[in-house]
Amino acid sequence: MSKSEKIRAPRGMPDILPNEVPLVRRIEEAARRLFRLYGYEEIRTPLFEETRLFVRGIGEDTDIVQKEMYTFAEEGTPDAEGPPKSTGITLRPEATAPVVRSVVEHNLLKKKNFWKLYYVGPMFRKERPQAGRLRQFYQIGGEAIGSYEPAVDAEAILLATRFFREVGLDGIVVKLNSLGCPSCRGEYRKALRAALEPKRKELCRDCQARFERNVFRILDCKQEPCKAVAMDAPAMREFLDRECRGHLEAVESMLKDSGLDFINDDHLVRGFDYYTRTLFEISHGSLGARDAVCGGGRYDNLVEELGGPAVGCVGFAVGVVPTVLALQKAGVARAAPEPLKLYAAAVNDDVRSECFRIVEDLREAGISADLDHERRSLKAQMRSANRLGAQYVLVIGPDELAQGRLTLKEMATGREERLSIGDVIKSLKRE
Ligand SMILES: [Zn+2]
Ligand SMILES: [Zn+2]
């Protein structure tokens, strides 16, 4: 590598720069507040998991497991291209399977039967870069583990919807479907294959393969010919057995009672095999073809599949990046960073160490304060105070120090006061 060749962030793994962080934080803080409001507790799982967790949890035949995971051999060297092995470790492509793994591993269901857990953090998928999708992306998600009650589904959907209201994103669309249980889904799979078979040749190459491995995913393909073929496909709803239909109707009626507008999307599917019954997605029209900002659903077999008891669960994840994009497109003001309270300006170099000490005293008192570290002129220091958006400037010079009276200037009004450092602290702490 030549000396001048700059090192860039890996493709699809952008930095979140200081001017972008406040909006991301606002989103995360709104989510944390809401999760607390709904009785959720935070859980943190590692970024890496054993590969077989995802192979078994998400499903061997899903696109994610087939081609999108960052899998490493146990010695830490990247695996060769191709389908992942069931040994080795993988950067988490999602967090539902890890959360369930953790619940099972630590026997949490022995402590209480029902848990509501949430997480915030990065996920990793080897997406095709030309599709403009990120390879490291952030998700905020909740998992309610231990109940088959339709109220849990309804609560999760209402919480997710409330989240978007909380961050100020109007115009979201909530789509609802049911995938049934494994028994009624088998019937649907057969019917779907039979309906798509005559038009199989018209499908895109990915969907040709999906026809055998995962025929439901054809309903989700964004390619025009596939969308046309899928349009006339039968709906899962027609194949639901009595219990699954009853569950769906109970969820629907609770959502209606809560005043939530949603649409039934008979062709809604998601790229995970673990979903059963309720499936939902929240989208925003400003985002184009990939318009989902949140997705989730019920997964009643995953805990048992991963070695725990048979219990019902509902989970969902909000995509932070699409949420930020939708907020920006909707013109929702970007969140401003918290302004600096005070900038201490040194009149000359002789008072710099005194200035340093005073700034530390202010910080000790809980007042955000900063000073010049570049030995610049008073004028240049004033410019910095402006640029940093400091509410006050404290001018420190030899005369001021001798008199024990410093000049505190309020930037917005230009008003000046001569105060002792003790009074500066007292007056700023009152604000
Ligand atoms: Zn069923
Ligand atoms: Zn397709």
Side-chain angles (χ1 to χ4, degrees):
M1 188 177 64
S2 82
K3 217 174 170 183
S4 61
E5 200 179 311
K6 290 221 178 76
I7 299 172
R8 294 169 180 277
R11 197 130 69 135
M13 300 187 175
D15 300 302
I16 302 175
L17 295 173
N19 67 327
E20 300 161 322
V21 167
L23 185 54
V24 172
R25 279 192 61 145
R26 201 179 85 195
I27 289 168
E28 289 176 355
E29 279 158 17
R32 287 176 188 281
R33 208 162 48 238
L34 277 185
F35 278 123
R36 275 199 300 277
L37 201 63
Y38 277 79
Y40 278 72
E41 298 171 86
E42 186 177 1
I43 185 167
R44 300 188 185 198
T45 63
L47 297 190
F48 275 107
E49 294 279 352
E50 280 193 45
T51 305
R52 60 201 173 107
L53 171 67
F54 301 116
V55 173
R56 216 193 289 169
I58 301 175
E60 182 133 36
D61 290 335
T62 57
D63 285 356
I64 294 174
V65 169
Q66 284 288 318
K67 52 189 185 192
E68 294 172 0
M69 297 204 303
Y70 283 100
T71 293
F72 299 82
E74 284 187 284
E75 308 88 282
T77 52
D79 262 0
E81 288 294 316
K85 301 180 185 72
S86 52
T87 59
I89 55 172
T90 292
L91 273 172
R92 63 181 188 190
E94 60 97 60
T96 299
V99 169
V100 169
R101 191 267 311 140
S102 179
V103 165
V104 171
E105 179 176 343
H106 301 286
N107 289 315
L108 294 190
L109 290 165
K110 290 214 170 99
K111 296 197 180 101
K112 57 178 184 181
N113 296 328
F114 183 59
W115 287 82
K116 289 202 265 195
L117 301 167
Y118 80 90
Y119 58 82
V120 175
M123 311 292 155
F124 304 85
R125 287 182 207 165
K126 216 183 287 170
E127 298 273 8
R128 282 171 305 141
Q130 67 266 31
R133 300 188 69 186
L134 298 184
R135 294 177 156 196
Q136 173 170 338
F137 53 97
Y138 293 82
Q139 285 191 338
I140 298 170
E143 313 289 347
I145 296 172
S147 172
Y148 296 100
E149 286 298 313
V152 179
D153 314 47
E155 190 183 67
I157 295 168
L158 290 170
L159 162 51
T161 311
R162 193 186 289 266
F163 162 79
F164 291 105
R165 207 159 63 220
E166 193 84 358
V167 298
L169 185 63
D170 291 328
I172 55 161
V173 176
V174 180
K175 296 179 219 164
L176 185 67
N177 193 18
S178 172
L179 291 179
C181 62
S183 91
C184 47
R185 197 183 323 176
E187 291 303 306
Y188 181 48
R189 185 181 290 116
K190 267 189 245 160
L192 201 53
R193 283 222 178 97
L196 298 178
E197 176 75 71
K199 298 172 193 160
R200 205 172 153 177
K201 296 270 178 320
E202 297 165 32
L203 298 170
C204 75
R205 222 180 52 203
D206 281 347
C207 286
Q208 304 272 351
R210 285 174 186 145
F211 188 87
E212 294 300 340
R213 317 191 254 118
N214 201 341
V215 68
F216 302 116
R217 289 290 289 171
I218 296 174
L219 300 175
D220 194 33
C221 184
K222 307 290 182 214
Q223 304 284 331
E224 285 306 326
C226 306
K227 271 159 81 175
V229 169
M231 202 133 68
D232 308 320
M236 178 74 225
R237 185 177 279 264
E238 297 160 32
F239 296 85
L240 294 178
D241 54 29
R242 209 168 55 87
E243 290 77 14
C244 290
R245 177 178 293 271
H247 187 93
L248 176 61
E249 287 169 356
V251 174
E252 288 173 343
S253 97
M254 269 181 267
L255 294 179
K256 281 181 192 147
D257 287 347
S258 303
L260 182 79
D261 281 327
F262 62 91
I263 56 174
N264 292 104
D265 181 346
D266 289 333
H267 289 161
L268 177 65
V269 290
R270 296 186 56 77
F272 307 90
D273 279 357
Y274 50 64
Y275 283 121
T276 54
R277 293 190 166 171
T278 311
L279 196 66
F280 71 96
E281 193 173 275
I282 299 177
S283 59
H284 197 264
S286 68
L287 295 176
R290 312 207 67 101
D291 58 358
V293 285
C294 171
R298 178 165 277 283
Y299 52 94
D300 288 341
N301 302 316
L302 187 59
V303 177
E304 196 176 17
E305 177 68 32
L306 296 177
V311 292
C313 308
V314 176
F316 66 93
V318 169
V320 173
V321 175
T323 302
V324 167
L325 279 177
L327 280 170
Q328 284 168 342
K329 290 196 174 169
V332 174
R334 86 184 22 221
E338 226 173 88
L340 187 69
K341 194 76 173 178
L342 181 144
Y343 190 89
V347 169
N348 62 34
D349 285 349
D350 299 339
V351 297
R352 282 189 188 270
S353 59
E354 199 61 13
C355 184
F356 183 86
R357 200 186 50 74
I358 288 171
V359 167
E360 270 302 297
D361 287 348
L362 287 158
R363 291 165 177 162
E364 175 70 21
I367 296 160
S368 65
D370 213 348
L371 74 166
D372 171 58
H373 283 302
E374 299 163 74
R375 289 197 171 266
R376 289 177 314 160
S377 69
L378 182 60
K379 217 165 148 192
Q381 292 178 58
M382 296 304 274
R383 278 201 301 272
S384 287
N386 251 322
R387 220 175 7 246
L388 292 169
Q391 283 175 268
Y392 294 92
V393 170
L394 190 63
V395 181
I396 300 169
D399 298 344
E400 284 88 348
L401 287 171
Q403 293 161 19
R405 287 275 182 275
L406 307 173
T407 307
L408 182 68
K409 179 177 176 185
E410 189 177 17
M411 297 298 270
T413 59
R415 197 164 55 93
E416 290 189 9
E417 267 186 294
R418 303 266 288 174
L419 297 170
S420 71
I421 183 64
D423 286 341
V424 169
I425 290 174
K426 239 185 270 169
S427 117
L428 295 188
K429 271 187 91 164
R430 259 205 307 274
E431 292 192 2

